């Protein structure tokens, strides 16, 4: 599992490969916080290569969303598979996040 | 037909994935639906094991987590027991209430309760028993095997 981060214009795009779970959630958090410190404010997390997010992973997304909003930024999520969408819907986190079907749709929404 | 499995795990988060994969494979061989194994069972067991290691055993590497699983014609039952002093499951807030939705924690047990067909705790609160029926439960009907 790993995170790949790149800039598309003024948007920081993060690809989550494998899983976002208790064992790696802090790495994602630290990397996004470092980008915030560097002045970045637009973030897109792309889950097209993500098999599973556990409750700790959901929790870190909630924390990051809050932090980004506090600093006047925006967070988009994209490419959740059917199982991941079910987890967001069950926990009602689909009401908290801007979730796009595809990366292009998410990029266009900033 | 009943197949029983007993696994003892070190209190190490890295041990979770392999043990979950092992039991998912055994249930798949027994003909359980892949969709329910991939989402319901995998998430339920993974969350229970993480809770046992992080909160029950308080990250203590000297402690262990025990998994007892049984596969029958109608259901897959799994019990996860840690060496902690237990907790009161009723004390966990509903993470879907608007007031709690922005909290970073508290979703693990909620997911277990919503994805498994039956969930019970022992009196001490250090052992959770979860059941996944082979056929999804239909409200008002008794689930039955094929």
């Amino acid at each position: 599992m790993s995170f790949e981060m790149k800039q598309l214009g003024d948007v920081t795009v993060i690809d989550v490969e494998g899983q976002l779970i208790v064992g790696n959630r802090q790495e994602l958090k630290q990397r996004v916080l470092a980008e915030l410190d560097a002045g970045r404010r637009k973030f897109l997390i792309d889950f097209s290569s993500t098999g599973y997010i556990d409750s700790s992973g959901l929790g870190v997304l909630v924390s990051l969303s809050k932090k980004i909003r506090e600093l006047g930024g925006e967070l988009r999520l994209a490419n959740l598979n059917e199982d991941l969408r079910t987890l967001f819907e069950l926990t009602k986190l689909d009401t908290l996040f801007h979730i796009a079907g595809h990366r292009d749709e998410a990029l266009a929404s900033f | 037909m009943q197949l029983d499995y007993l696994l003892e795990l070190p209190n190490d988060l890295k041990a979770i994935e392999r043990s979950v994969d092992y039991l998912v494979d055994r249930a798949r061989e027994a003909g359980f639906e892949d969709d329910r194994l991939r989402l319901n069972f995998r998430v339920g067991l993974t969350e229970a094991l993480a809770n046992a290691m992080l909160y029950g055993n308080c990250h203590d590497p000297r402690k262990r987590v025990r998994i007892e699983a049984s596969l029958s014609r109608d259901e897959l039952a799994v019990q996860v027991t840690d060496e902690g002093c237990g907790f009161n499951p009723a004390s966990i807030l509903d993470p879907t209430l608007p007031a709690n939705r922005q909290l970073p924690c508290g979703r693990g047990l909620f997911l277990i309760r919503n994805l498994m067909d039956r969930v019970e705790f022992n009196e001490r609160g250090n052992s959770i028993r979860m059941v996944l029926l082979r056929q999804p439960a239909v409200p008002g009907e008794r689930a039955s095997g094929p």
Side-chain angles (χ1 to χ4, degrees), chain A residues 23-110:
Chain A
N24 67 347
R25 64 180 165 156
Q26 285 303 332
E27 183 190 341
L28 176 67
K29 189 173 183 178
Q30 293 311 319
R31 292 185 68 172
V32 172
L33 291 178
E35 292 297 313
L36 278 168
D37 283 346
R40 306 286 183 196
R41 290 295 180 266
K42 294 180 182 176
F43 295 87
L44 163 59
I45 305 182
D46 190 323
F47 293 103
S48 54
S49 303
T50 312
Y52 177 53
I53 304 175
D54 72 2
S55 62
S56 300
L58 293 173
V60 90
L61 293 174
V62 170
S63 295
L64 286 173
S65 165
K66 195 173 170 192
K67 185 73 180 169
I68 291 168
R69 263 187 288 118
E70 282 170 2
L71 293 171
E74 296 172 83
L75 171 65
R76 306 281 189 262
L77 310 181
N79 284 317
L80 295 167
N81 67 29
E82 196 180 327
D83 288 354
L84 298 184
R85 274 195 178 270
T86 299
L87 294 179
F88 275 77
E89 287 165 10
L90 268 179
T91 54
K92 294 203 169 24
L93 289 179
D94 57 329
T95 65
L96 209 64
F97 291 97
H98 187 297
I99 301 174
H102 303 286
R103 178 181 293 215
D104 289 346
E105 185 188 331
L107 288 169
S109 71
F110 281 105

Side-chain angles (χ1 to χ4, degrees), chain B residues 40-75:
Chain B
N40 302 60
F41 183 70
R42 180 176 293 280
V43 173
L45 181 54
T46 300
E47 295 293 343
L49 290 170
N51 283 345
M53 291 177 183
L54 296 174
Y55 306 115
N57 285 345
C58 300
H59 304 262
D60 186 341
R62 293 165 301 180
K63 292 184 174 172
R64 299 183 75 78
V65 174
R66 183 182 177 96
I67 305 174
E68 294 159 89
S70 65
L71 258 171
S72 69
R73 195 186 69 144
D74 295 334
E75 65 182 39

Side-chain angles (χ1 to χ4, degrees), chain B residues 78-143:
Chain B
V78 61
Q79 185 156 356
V80 173
T81 305
D82 62 58
E83 296 181 42
C85 47
F87 80 113
N88 175 8
S91 67
I92 303 297
L93 299 171
D94 179 350
T96 64
L97 293 177
N100 301 332
R101 237 173 260 173
Q102 304 226 19
L103 295 176
C105 54
R107 292 179 183 83
L109 185 54
F110 174 85
L111 287 174
I112 293 170
R113 283 181 164 140
N114 280 273
L115 292 171
M116 302 298 271
D117 293 302
R118 285 202 305 272
V119 178
E120 299 155 3
F121 292 87
N122 67 349
E123 196 173 338
R124 179 169 146 189
N126 71 326
S127 186
I128 180 171
R129 183 173 186 273
M130 304 169 286
V131 174
L132 184 78
L133 301 176
R134 184 185 291 265
Q135 302 289 338
V138 177
E141 286 182 21
R142 246 187 105 210

